[in-house]
Amino acid sequence: MATRLGLSGQVSNDAEGVHIALDGAGPEVAAFLTALREEAPPLAQIDSVDVSGGPAPPGAGPAAPGFRIAPSDPARGGAGPRTRVCADSATCADCLAELADPADRRYRYPFINCTNCGPRFTIIRDVPYDRPATTMAGFRMCARCRAEYDDPADRRFHAQPVCCPDCGPTLSFRPTAAASPTSDEPLERAAGLLRGGGILAVKGLGGYHLAVLAADGSAVATLRRRKHRDAKPFAVMVRDLATAEEMCCLDPTARLLLTGRRRPIVLVERCRCAGRVAEAVAPGTGTLGVMLPYTPLHHLLLGLLPGPIVLTSGNISDEPIVYRDEEALAALSPVADGFLAHDRAIHTRLDDSVARSVRGRETLVRRSRGYAPEPLPLPWEVQRPVLACGAELKNTVCLAAGRRAYLSGHIGDLENHETLRSFVSGIDHLRRLFDISPELVAHDLHPEYLSTKWALEQDLPVVGVQHHHAHIASCLADNGHPGPVLGVAFDGLGFGPDGTLWGGEFLWADLAGFTRLAHLTPVPMPGGVAAIRAPWRMAAAHLLAAGVADPDRLAVARRNADRWDAVAALARSGAAPSPVGAPLTSSVGRLFDAVAALVGVRDTITYEGQAAIELERIAAPGDYGRYPASPPPSGAGLLLPGADLIRGVVDDLRERVDPTVIAARFHSTLAGLTVDICAALRDSLLGGPGAPGRPGLPACPAGTVALSGGVFGNLRLLGEIMDGLVDRGFTVLTHSRVPCNDGGISLGQAMVANARGQQRT
């Protein structure tokens, strides 16, 4: 740009950013500054442009003609992270054009990339980000690739993964059993295996995937059986946007998500999938997780197949995605019929991201490949570097320093040794890449979480953060809002300071602290963790708490008659001061489970949130009214009356009302009660119009509500609550850049730890 505009000077990097020195006339300099933003490369992220200078000082000679790239100076600049590591990026249009051009030397080369696309975070071993510090170090560039790499005018200038068929990684196919190959070409053999109904293990950017033809119900069923994944939905990869349009209902935001450089799995409404996708791919849901190819290998493979493929993480059950070749062979050989692999190593395992369009806004469900480890800009300063360890489920970790927060990719559920090992190695890698040495460690209050235990073993000051406060703080950080706000946190459960399991909370909160103002009426959780896996147990507990007469006459009790009385007795023990095996919970997630079991949706689950997801799916569209319910007072606060909801559901069941209508009324009643409680808290407790305010709380009106927690992944409930709050004059904050579920907890923990640290100083 400088040469085109006739400007002299230089550009260099240091710890603070990019430094550009220009010498030239004012109009040309102004044109350069405009072009700097408008013509930035696809992977460039410009946070700010600060301009200073003016006429050359008296006596200064003219600048040397021409514009040059000066050596970087990593030692110059302020403290803090000394590099920005890009996320992996989908294959760009220029590379795809070369991939399809028979005259190009990279024609049909599965590892084509350039400065604007390709692997980044998953291949970086260390910083500075140069080829020797990546898993491409073992591939010596040929003369032609070296010439491109060294030419500032070339699209592959300093593209560290640059390669070609003469000097780069190679593809291989390996069957798990003896077979007669129809072709020696790896891609052809892999495609033939899929066309024949086989299961293929494919090495992607951040790990191995398992693939079958999406239309082949028998192959999908075999994959479920071998992978031990009974019902959790699979994602589907389609060839192009036109195919996605033919299958699903897409709004403009969903289209941008599907075709953008990040290429997440996008949750969209299923509408025309018959014949393209077997029902077993996503049973019991009204949505489908769709993605477009994001590597040259995916593009080439899809081009050889008759339709979409299932593409799911290469693992068994809830273990982390497999990413090392030898481990993949050992773990996936019992599942896959063949392996399509290559010899470029993956350094950092990374699952696919998941996103959806919520009222036209990009909203992340899982933040991983394509997003991590790009920083989240913060509107406030982090005074002391913080490491936040996240939650037990959907774990992520967060490093925060300066005005940026760096979140890891999705690590998973910390329930086995391999996931814990991934958690520890992920922390070490982030610390090294961004040169951040934490001075505080934030953790969840639950004493049995592996992340909590690890945090307490570190030789650093620790800050325990209540789970639902972290949810609300995460929403505040996501929206750049310091609080205070009225926070509504609905989820499965989290450890409360009172020793019970929270999950239906109304909090008055800012980043530093919170006050619990209202919550769902607590009920026993008979069997503890067993009640999470068996929603009928929560039905028994809620029926008991609601005082429903003759619960054994309901279908849910008859279906579970052999254990009903024992579980009901266990639930009754929850009323004791120290319940054994039936801890009290105020969880809205468990309330959804109870209603799902009552209406016959599901008595047991095989993955988290399954009953609630299926209850949302069957809810009839339209307005079917609300059950009679009103929030009773509880001391200085209010209670969300779960008993009223349960009694309304039971009355409908006894009147033989259709379950789809019951599900709709349940959603509407819960949404309406939530809005009612928010309005009551604003008007009666927090200094609303005509109210004296509550002692001990800030004297400011609660005009903003932050919604967080995994339950708000339910778009019907979220939408009805948002509409109701806006109608009552509230401003509503929801998640976008980080998930509302536990995948966003680490960001909230980091913000709380920072705010409390500032209070102490």
Side-chain angles (χ1 to χ4, degrees):
M1 293 189 322
T3 302
R4 185 180 76 216
L5 293 167
L7 297 169
S8 298
Q10 69 176 35
V11 60
S12 63
N13 300 324
D14 67 15
E16 292 179 336
V18 180
H19 290 260
I20 304 171
L22 293 174
D23 183 64
E28 283 74 21
V29 172
F32 181 93
L33 293 172
T34 299
L36 190 64
R37 288 189 180 277
E38 294 182 352
E39 301 178 28
L43 302 189
Q45 178 181 317
I46 300 176
D47 293 333
S48 63
V49 178
D50 301 316
V51 182
S52 61
F67 192 89
R68 72 188 188 99
I69 300 172
S72 299
D73 184 1
R76 195 177 80 228
R82 297 197 173 276
T83 187
R84 300 286 284 275
V85 177
C86 285
D88 302 85
S89 185
T91 312
C92 69
D94 290 330
C95 282
L96 285 178
E98 294 174 347
L99 187 71
D101 183 1
D104 193 277
R105 71 189 186 94
R106 294 186 174 92
Y107 174 59
R108 295 187 62 78
Y109 181 55
F111 308 99
I112 188 171
N113 68 86
C114 69
T115 310
N116 301 329
C117 68
R120 295 293 189 272
F121 181 47
T122 52
I123 65 169
I124 295 172
R125 290 193 174 108
D126 210 340
V127 289
Y129 173 45
D130 290 318
R131 193 177 180 101
T134 73
T135 61
M136 288 295 296
F139 299 95
R140 184 176 180 180
M141 279 184 274
C142 66
R144 287 191 288 182
C145 285
R146 171 59 71 178
E148 294 169 332
Y149 181 88
D150 289 336
D151 182 2
D154 195 279
R155 199 175 87 249
R156 294 186 168 89
F157 176 59
H158 275 233
Q160 306 304 339
V162 66
C163 57
C164 73
D166 295 331
C167 64
T170 57
L171 204 59
S172 63
F173 176 81
R174 176 174 176 171
T176 54
S180 300
T182 56
S183 169
D184 291 332
E185 207 278 321
L187 269 168
E188 290 285 356
R189 294 181 67 186
L193 185 150
L194 289 171
R195 288 193 296 265
I199 299 172
L200 178 70
V202 185
K203 188 176 181 181
L205 280 179
Y208 278 79
H209 290 90
L210 293 166
V212 296
L213 288 183
D216 189 337
S218 176
V220 174
T222 300
L223 176 59
R224 286 201 176 280
R225 185 177 67 254
R226 294 183 187 176
K227 188 176 161 70
H228 306 302
R229 183 165 169 170
D230 294 337
K232 191 174 183 180
F234 288 137
V236 172
M237 179 175 278
V238 301
R239 183 180 303 175
D240 49 33
L241 183 62
T243 305
E245 293 271 18
E246 292 171 3
M247 295 167 44
C248 304
C249 302
L250 306 180
D251 67 7
T253 301
R255 294 186 192 99
L256 289 174
L257 284 167
L258 284 169
T259 57
R261 67 178 178 88
R262 302 182 189 277
R263 296 288 168 97
I265 298 167
V266 183
L267 300 180
V268 293
E269 183 183 350
R270 304 171 65 170
C271 50
R272 296 176 294 274
C273 291
R276 299 270 194 150
V277 176
E279 177 61 30
V281 169
T285 69
T287 59
L288 189 67
V290 178
M291 59 179 153
L292 266 58
Y294 54 85
T295 71
L297 179 58
H298 291 133
H299 282 280
L300 293 170
L301 182 61
L302 266 291
L304 298 173
L305 297 172
I309 59 172
V310 164
L311 201 68
T312 185
S313 298
N315 56 6
I316 303 298
S317 190
D318 295 322
E319 294 178 359
I321 187 171
V322 177
Y323 71 110
R324 293 192 177 100
D325 297 331
E326 62 278 8
E327 293 177 356
L329 283 171
L332 301 181
S333 288
V335 181
D337 300 306
F339 287 76
L340 183 61
H342 54 78
D343 53 353
R344 183 182 69 205
I346 298 169
H347 184 71
T348 300
R349 78 171 105 213
L350 213 56
D351 273 288
D352 293 317
S353 294
V354 181
R356 69 195 313 173
S357 172
V358 178
R359 300 191 170 196
R361 185 186 189 197
E362 174 185 352
T363 302
L364 288 176
V365 178
R366 183 167 75 194
R367 187 181 189 273
S368 204
R369 178 194 50 77
Y371 296 86
E374 292 182 357
L376 295 172
L378 300 172
W380 46 75
E381 190 80 17
V382 175
Q383 301 294 334
R384 301 171 66 188
V386 179
L387 165 64
C389 296
E392 186 84 344
L393 303 180
K394 298 180 175 65
N395 180 266
T396 63
V397 298
C398 177
L399 279 172
R403 285 182 173 266
R404 296 189 179 97
Y406 300 85
L407 268 72
S408 71
H410 171 79
I411 295 172
D413 299 348
L414 297 183
E415 296 180 332
N416 57 61
H417 173 73
E418 184 59 29
T419 314
L420 181 62
R421 189 173 73 171
S422 182
F423 165 85
V424 174
S425 64
I427 290 173
D428 291 342
H429 194 46
L430 281 180
R431 290 175 60 174
R432 185 168 61 254
L433 287 185
F434 297 108
D435 193 24
I436 298 176
S437 296
E439 298 177 13
L440 292 172
V441 177
H443 63 84
D444 194 274
L445 293 183
H446 200 300
E448 294 304 313
Y449 282 1
L450 295 181
S451 55
T452 300
K453 292 179 178 180
W454 183 89
L456 296 175
E457 292 171 355
Q458 308 310 300
D459 189 21
L460 286 169
V462 294
V463 179
V465 182
Q466 200 279 323
H467 189 89
H468 301 93
H469 183 207
H471 267 309
I472 301 305
S474 175
C475 188
L476 290 174
D478 198 348
N479 288 276
H481 193 300
V485 296
L486 184 57
V488 180
F490 289 172
D491 66 358
L493 55 84
F495 196 77
D498 60 357
T500 66
L501 300 175
W502 292 10
E505 310 307 314
F506 296 78
L507 310 177
W508 180 243
D510 57 15
L511 296 175
F514 73 94
T515 300
R516 190 190 197 194
L517 299 180
H519 54 87
L520 179 70
T521 308
V523 300
M525 200 165 81
V529 173
I532 298 174
R533 303 191 187 101
W536 70 268
R537 289 173 173 260
M538 291 308 306
H542 272 284
L543 288 169
L544 181 68
V548 173
D550 301 322
D552 55 328
R553 297 177 60 185
L554 296 171
V556 64
R558 294 196 298 271
R559 292 193 303 269
N560 300 280
D562 58 333
R563 295 166 291 175
W564 186 268
D565 289 344
V567 167
L570 188 59
R572 291 187 187 94
S573 76
S578 300
V580 178
L584 288 175
T585 183
S586 57
S587 167
V588 169
R590 302 288 79 82
L591 175 63
F592 265 90
D593 287 350
V595 174
L598 282 169
V599 301
V601 167
R602 182 161 291 278
D603 285 349
T604 60
I605 64 169
T606 60
Y607 65 89
E608 185 194 10
Q610 183 179 9
I613 290 169
E614 295 180 3
L615 184 67
E616 178 190 8
R617 183 196 179 190
I618 72 163
D623 184 1
Y624 290 88
R626 289 172 53 175
Y627 294 123
S630 58
S634 171
L638 296 169
L639 288 176
L640 179 63
D644 287 353
L645 282 157
I646 295 297
R647 284 191 288 266
V649 169
V650 170
D651 288 345
D652 270 356
L653 285 171
R654 288 175 170 166
E655 292 294 326
R656 301 186 183 277
V657 174
D658 191 285
T660 63
V661 173
I662 298 175
R665 286 177 180 161
F666 168 72
H667 279 80
S668 295
T669 308
L670 179 58
L673 284 168
T674 302
V675 174
D676 290 345
I677 290 176
C678 288
L681 290 173
R682 174 186 60 188
D683 297 342
S684 300
L685 300 176
L686 296 174
R694 178 178 174 183
L697 291 177
C700 59
T704 301
V705 176
L707 306 177
S708 188
V711 168
F712 288 113
N714 181 320
L715 296 192
R716 178 162 186 149
L717 181 70
L718 176 65
E720 291 194 23
I721 290 176
M722 289 176 65
D723 289 342
L725 289 171
V726 170
D727 288 345
R728 297 285 191 96
F730 286 98
T731 298
V732 183
L733 304 181
T734 60
H735 284 268
S736 175
R737 299 184 299 165
V738 297
C740 67
N741 58 44
D742 283 5
I745 282 281
S746 62
L747 175 63
Q749 291 174 341
M751 296 303 96
V752 171
N754 175 62
R756 289 182 183 169
Q758 292 187 53
Q759 280 188 340
R760 285 193 291 269
T761 57

